[in-house]
Amino acid sequence: MLRDGRAVHLRPMHCSDEGELMQFFERLDPETRYMRFMHVVRKPDVKRLRRVLAFIPERGTGIVATIPADDGIDVVGGSSLMIGPDPASCEFAVTVTAAYARTGLGRTLMSALIAAAKARGLVEMEGFVLRANTAMLRLADRLGFTTSADPEDFSVVICRLRLDAPVDRLSQA
């Protein structure tokens, strides 16, 4: 249940979600796409999506937030982590449609992703966030991530979370 009273269903992402994820991409407004991909993206990259889905569950985890729709379901948010060369750490991403922004869905997805990373025994999560993406940076701060400037790109902030540290600073207050 979100802050505005709407309900979403969280579940693991599957390869069979490709079509729904393509529709999800089409529902993202240009600003949300820019914040997620860090550049202008007008068309979905089907090959990249298939590569990401192929990594799940062996080298990653994906979580989708769905709502009922005339054609079955609609994806309104998603989060993922991908384990890189260091098997103890992962890179995260989260995206929420504008219609579900500021409802707590991003926090819900990130909290579920953090729990999934801990369950996998990972030690650290990191994400690359545009400095202009103040909503994501506020969320990262609330969830206990540390931030630092990307030494290679001033427009990017690196958010890191030690998974053996407290998850949520607000719940401790």
Side-chain angles (χ1 to χ4, degrees), residues 50-129:
R50 287 180 180 155
R51 277 194 313 272
V52 168
L53 290 172
F55 275 116
I56 297 170
E58 186 179 328
R59 300 286 301 163
T61 298
I63 300 168
V64 290
T66 66
I67 59 169
D70 291 340
D71 66 349
I73 62 161
D74 280 343
V75 174
V76 295
S79 60
S80 62
L81 65 83
M82 292 295 146
I83 301 168
D86 175 359
S89 67
C90 64
E91 184 176 338
F92 75 86
V94 62
T95 309
V96 173
T97 62
Y100 280 78
R102 293 174 293 284
T103 63
L105 181 55
R107 182 188 189 101
T108 299
L109 286 163
M110 280 301 300
S111 295
L113 198 63
I114 290 166
K118 286 182 174 186
R120 289 185 81 127
L122 298 174
V123 176
E124 184 175 65
M125 293 180 87
E126 76 174 359
F128 299 86
V129 179

Side-chain angles (χ1 to χ4, degrees), residues 1 8 18 37-38 42 56 60 82 84 86 104 129 132 149 162 169:
M1 189 68 68
V8 297
E18 181 181 317
F37 297 105
M38 298 187 187
R42 291 185 176 86
I56 297 170
M82 292 295 146
D86 175 359
V129 179
R162 291 287 306 184
R169 293 182 196 169

Side-chain angles (χ1 to χ4, degrees), residues 106-169:
R107 182 188 189 101
T108 299
L109 286 163
M110 280 301 300
S111 295
L113 198 63
I114 290 166
K118 286 182 174 186
R120 289 185 81 127
L122 298 174
V123 176
E124 184 175 65
M125 293 180 87
E126 76 174 359
F128 299 86
V129 179
L130 286 174
R131 190 173 299 281
N133 191 347
T134 56
M136 183 61 217
L137 293 173
R138 275 193 311 272
L139 174 59
D141 181 62
R142 288 183 186 125
L143 292 172
F145 283 79
T146 61
T147 58
S148 60
D150 184 334
E152 297 176 21
D153 187 344
F154 179 75
S155 69
V156 175
V157 174
I158 302 171
C159 299
R160 287 192 176 91
L161 179 68
R162 291 287 306 184
L163 296 170
D164 52 2
V167 173
D168 187 343
R169 293 182 196 169

